[in-house]
Amino acid sequence: MRIGVLALQGDFEAHRKALERAGAEAVEVRTAEDLDTVDGLVIPGGESTTMLKLLRAEGLFERLARFGKHKPVFGTCAGAILLANDVRSPHQESLGLMNLTVERNAYGRQIDSRIVQLRGEEFSEPLEAVFIRAPIIRGVGPEARVLMEYNGDPVLVEQGRHMVATFHPELTADSRVHNRFLEKVRQG
Amino acid sequence: MNYLDEQFRLKVGLAEMLKGGVIMDVTNAEQAVIAEKAGASAVMALERVPADIRKEGGVARMAPISKIREIMGAVSIPVMAKARIGHFMEAEILEALKVDYIDESEVLTPADEEHHIDKRRFKTPFVCGARNLGEALRRIAEGAAMIRTKGEAGSGNIVEAVRHMRTIQKEMRQLTVLGKEELVAESKKHQAPLELVEYVAGHGKLPVPNFSAGGVATPADAALVMRLGAEAVFVGSGIFKSDDPERRAKAIVKAATYYKDPQKLLEASEELGIGMFGIDVAKLPESELLQTRGW
């Protein structure tokens, strides 16, 4: 099982290490050929506008949308924005792999970034959630499952084979969120 | 200093998000929008780009608040702004304005020739320049959450950026092979806290991201510093002092991502037009160097 980490820009190295800690083989993905060799893909944190420009310029946008029709994709922060089908503040294009409405930079600027402890139905032990200039998920479709909330807003959501977090599990030593994604990849 | 401290982790966290990207100097909203459209991962607000500061002289200060505000309102990517070395009041004002990162920068005229800002007491993260490992570790000890090698800003010449990146990488590698008692002597030599010297010896890298700045003018320059170990690139005068800023900005963004791929770098380097003129740094008198500012 090989997991790709989209390495156009952002904290892809942190994700690669987090996946390796969780026992997976992780490779960086920068081209369509790289994408063909992986069973699942992580879209990391970073700047969604930068990633979007590079996806478009390199002809990867459609390839990624097609990849997501058959294989699991996990997006954190900027990655969550790219996976949604409705992006606001300001509006921008996205892959639309999940039925989500996402508002960018919704907590404010860097000074409003924060670390909080969260629990969820399947996370009885508290999970450290690092929010950095994070987006807020303003709405989810009926097919989505909210796994964790913060201040009443969904922050960890899955829909079919895909999953998003508006925080950064890759910046902590806790592997539970990555393990959940690896389980999805195992199931195909 | 506690690297597991929440505040410090958030500061380094944003630097992590900027990796693999290009941070572009801009002086107004129009340039900021061009930078964002070209794929910049952040913009740096300043009054004049380094090449103009060099040409026009005078005191270079924090950018006018109205300009920074205008830039913050024009783009959705992080906005950084420069404060003078040691000018903690400029920094407090920038924090009140809620810029995302503060650059305590040698490009501006220093306000204090002995002390840097105590960056630990701010919630806003700081980036600082460094020419060697000791300087980098002193800035980290003061609370910097990101280091950028200084290069020679506004020169359009990559030679100093290369020198500084190679120096830091070499000094870090050297520490990894030394014994504990030798590290005490190294700490003295580098004029840096032992605790940080030990961190570098144990990890082979800085405890914060290390970016490159000062002289990047082409996609090949950006790829060169990335290959030498930079985790992202700052571009100042190189973009808006060239004849087609938008195209050059896009090309440098592409180069920062595909720095290991010569075919992609060839694509990025085609049809770029004329770059900034540039200066032979070796012919600059010592008094005109920006990199020697910082203590």
Side-chain angles (χ1 to χ4, degrees):
Chain A
M1 197 170 66
R2 263 160 79 92
I3 311 294
V5 182
L6 190 68
L8 299 179
Q9 191 273 324
D11 73 335
F12 49 85
E13 193 193 348
H15 265 294
R16 189 170 51 73
K17 288 181 179 159
L19 287 164
E20 285 166 0
R21 274 200 301 276
E25 183 194 353
V27 294
E28 292 178 358
V29 169
R30 290 187 176 84
T31 63
E33 295 74 54
D34 295 341
L35 197 58
D36 289 339
T37 70
V38 299
D39 306 304
L41 183 76
V42 173
I43 305 183
E47 284 309 313
S48 60
T49 53
T50 304
M51 292 184 208
L52 203 51
K53 303 289 175 215
L54 284 161
L55 285 175
R56 276 293 180 203
E58 300 305 311
L60 275 170
F61 189 89
E62 276 79 20
R63 292 292 291 262
L64 216 56
R66 236 182 302 148
F67 178 92
K69 289 210 177 0
H70 309 286
K71 292 185 175 161
V73 182
F74 171 35
T76 61
C77 198
I81 295 169
L82 288 174
L83 254 69
N85 61 349
D86 180 14
V87 179
R88 300 176 180 177
S89 178
H91 169 74
Q92 73 186 28
E93 188 180 33
S94 53
L95 295 166
L97 293 175
M98 289 174 72
N99 191 356
L100 301 172
T101 299
V102 176
E103 183 186 337
R104 295 181 57 209
N105 298 328
Y107 293 95
R109 307 196 69 96
Q110 170 63 10
I111 205 160
D112 307 299
S113 293
R114 62 198 73 184
I115 298 179
V116 296
Q117 305 291 326
L118 299 176
R119 287 172 200 269
E121 210 178 300
E122 296 181 38
F123 294 86
S124 50
E125 291 298 315
L127 184 102
E128 188 182 55
V130 182
F131 292 91
I132 295 173
R133 284 174 48 93
I136 291 182
I137 296 172
R138 294 296 185 193
V140 301
E143 60 278 57
R145 186 153 170 250
V146 176
L147 298 170
M148 204 171 268
E149 293 185 338
Y150 168 55
N151 284 346
D153 298 310
V155 295
L156 181 64
V157 180
E158 61 183 15
Q159 179 186 323
R161 64 175 74 85
H162 305 310
M163 187 164 91
V164 294
T166 57
F167 57 93
H168 295 281
E170 72 279 14
L171 295 183
T172 68
D174 192 329
S175 290
R176 281 178 290 166
V177 175
H178 282 90
N179 282 337
R180 191 172 181 96
F181 178 64
L182 292 177
E183 193 48 46
K184 286 181 176 301
V185 180
R186 259 176 227 116
Q187 289 164 3
Chain B
M1 165 167 272
N2 185 1
Y3 299 104
L4 300 174
D5 168 63
E6 275 193 8
Q7 201 60 252
F8 196 70
R9 285 176 58 205
L10 283 171
K11 292 172 173 179
V12 173
L14 181 53
E16 293 285 336
M17 299 308 144
L18 296 170
K19 281 185 178 176
V22 181
I23 300 150
M24 301 181 192
D25 275 2
V26 297
T27 56
N28 56 44
E30 190 196 344
Q31 289 182 351
V33 169
I34 291 174
E36 183 178 50
K37 279 198 178 144
S41 56
V43 290
M44 172 76 72
L46 72 176
E47 191 183 17
R48 296 176 281 169
V49 294
D52 288 336
I53 294 173
R54 202 176 270 295
K55 205 163 72 190
E56 296 159 8
V59 174
R61 311 181 179 93
M62 169 179 83
I65 298 303
S66 60
K67 284 287 176 198
I68 305 174
R69 230 188 251 289
E70 176 190 306
I71 290 164
M72 288 166 74
V75 295
S76 63
I77 53 179
V79 175
M80 304 184 175
K82 286 184 192 288
R84 282 178 266 178
I85 289 175
H87 207 316
F88 55 86
M89 286 318 303
E90 281 188 349
E92 284 186 20
I93 291 167
L94 290 174
E95 173 154 282
L97 184 60
K98 296 191 172 186
V99 302
D100 296 295
Y101 240 93
I102 298 172
D103 184 358
E104 186 184 17
S105 176
E106 71 283 0
V107 168
L108 306 187
T109 312
D112 189 324
E113 296 192 335
E114 275 179 69
H115 311 100
H116 281 254
I117 298 169
D118 174 15
K119 295 165 273 288
R120 292 166 300 185
R121 68 181 176 88
F122 288 80
K123 261 188 94 176
T124 307
F126 278 76
V127 53
C128 286
R131 288 185 297 166
N132 52 52
L133 183 61
E135 198 175 1
L137 296 182
R138 286 195 293 281
R139 297 296 87 81
I140 295 167
E142 293 157 1
M146 180 201 297
I147 292 297
R148 51 170 180 76
T149 49
K150 283 177 173 173
E152 186 58 32
S155 71
N157 187 338
I158 200 67
V159 65
E160 296 301 304
V162 167
R163 189 193 318 281
H164 300 159
M165 188 53 75
R166 278 203 186 274
T167 302
I168 291 184
Q169 297 293 346
K170 180 174 148 196
E171 290 174 336
M172 290 199 295
R173 276 198 306 273
Q174 285 169 340
L175 290 185
T176 62
V177 298
L178 298 180
K180 270 201 182 316
E181 50 290 297
E182 291 171 304
L183 293 179
V184 178
E186 289 295 311
S187 155
K188 241 164 86 182
K189 188 182 105 191
H190 290 296
Q191 297 177 51
L194 177 61
E195 181 196 12
L196 287 173
V197 169
E198 286 177 336
Y199 181 96
V200 173
H203 296 79
K205 62 197 286 294
L206 298 177
V208 305
N210 186 15
F211 295 3
S212 177
V216 174
T218 68
D221 288 346
L224 177 62
V225 290
M226 295 289 287
R227 283 288 281 268
L228 290 173
E231 295 174 294
V233 181
F234 283 83
V235 186
S237 320
I239 289 171
F240 289 101
K241 285 288 159 191
S242 71
D243 66 351
D244 189 347
E246 192 171 344
R247 191 185 293 246
R248 188 162 292 260
K250 268 189 199 158
I252 294 176
V253 168
K254 180 165 172 160
T257 296
Y258 294 103
Y259 66 95
K260 290 182 208 158
D261 185 339
Q263 193 56 43
K264 295 272 191 194
L265 292 172
L266 170 64
E267 290 166 21
S269 305
E270 304 238 32
E271 293 170 44
L272 267 187
I274 298 163
M276 73 179 280
F277 186 67
I279 298 169
D280 183 353
V281 181
K283 297 210 173 93
L284 275 181
E286 174 83 21
S287 62
E288 284 181 29
L289 291 178
L290 300 176
Q291 58 175 278
T292 50
R293 298 164 166 183
W295 357 101

